[in-house]
Amino acid sequence: MLRFLEHRIADRRILQLIRRWLKAGVIENGRRIPSVKGTPQGAVASPLLANVYLHYALDLWIQAWRRQPDCGEVIAVRYADDSTLGFQKKGTAERFLNEMRERLAKFGLTLHPDKTRLIEFGRGLPKRIDAHGDRADRRPSTS
């Protein structure tokens, strides 16, 4: 985290303040519990620091990844630690998800298993569902 910040912040006093913030820990039941890694949960600076960290760990990687040949269209939207990605091709989405897990692991991060999934969408989806008989239980009833 500090190496990432040093790319953008020249003022050593600000970097020292952030170092202290990262070491501050949290108070639970009146006792101070020091931080081992990451930012203190609920700290004011945590979202800002998470955005900087994910810029280097994820955003720049996504920009490079989407330039691969035969990827098709790839869109990415991230807000803090939440993101939504859209892919033109299902195979690309599956490959990206596997590679993203590996990328995040290099930075000590994981995807939340209950929040991470592939969802098919698009203009042709209703016709594809009818043609294959898939997901009939998810179609709205006409009654």
Side-chain angles (χ1 to χ4, degrees), residues 21-118:
W21 200 300
L22 291 171
K23 293 178 184 177
V26 294
I27 303 290
E28 286 186 15
N29 299 324
R31 294 187 55 193
R32 181 184 172 274
I33 300 171
S35 294
V36 177
K37 64 180 182 176
T39 60
Q41 183 68 29
V44 175
S46 293
L48 172 69
L49 296 175
N51 267 320
V52 171
Y53 195 73
L54 287 172
H55 170 74
Y56 290 101
L58 187 61
D59 298 345
L60 295 177
W61 177 78
I62 290 173
Q63 284 180 8
W65 195 94
R66 70 194 329 170
R67 287 192 290 265
Q68 295 179 47
D70 200 35
C71 249
E73 290 289 323
V74 177
I75 59 167
V77 178
R78 184 177 64 76
Y79 180 77
D81 62 347
D82 293 319
S83 58
T84 300
L85 294 107
F87 298 87
Q88 184 177 7
K89 303 173 183 179
K90 183 179 179 183
T92 304
E94 292 167 342
R95 190 175 90 236
F96 178 89
L97 183 57
N98 290 329
E99 291 179 23
M100 185 169 75
R101 282 190 174 102
E102 293 172 11
R103 171 69 178 183
L104 293 176
K106 292 178 183 178
F107 291 87
L109 302 171
T110 59
L111 295 172
H112 192 291
D114 296 333
K115 296 180 180 180
T116 305
R117 60 192 174 276
L118 297 177

Side-chain angles (χ1 to χ4, degrees), residues 139-143:
R139 280 184 277 166
S141 81
T142 56
S143 54

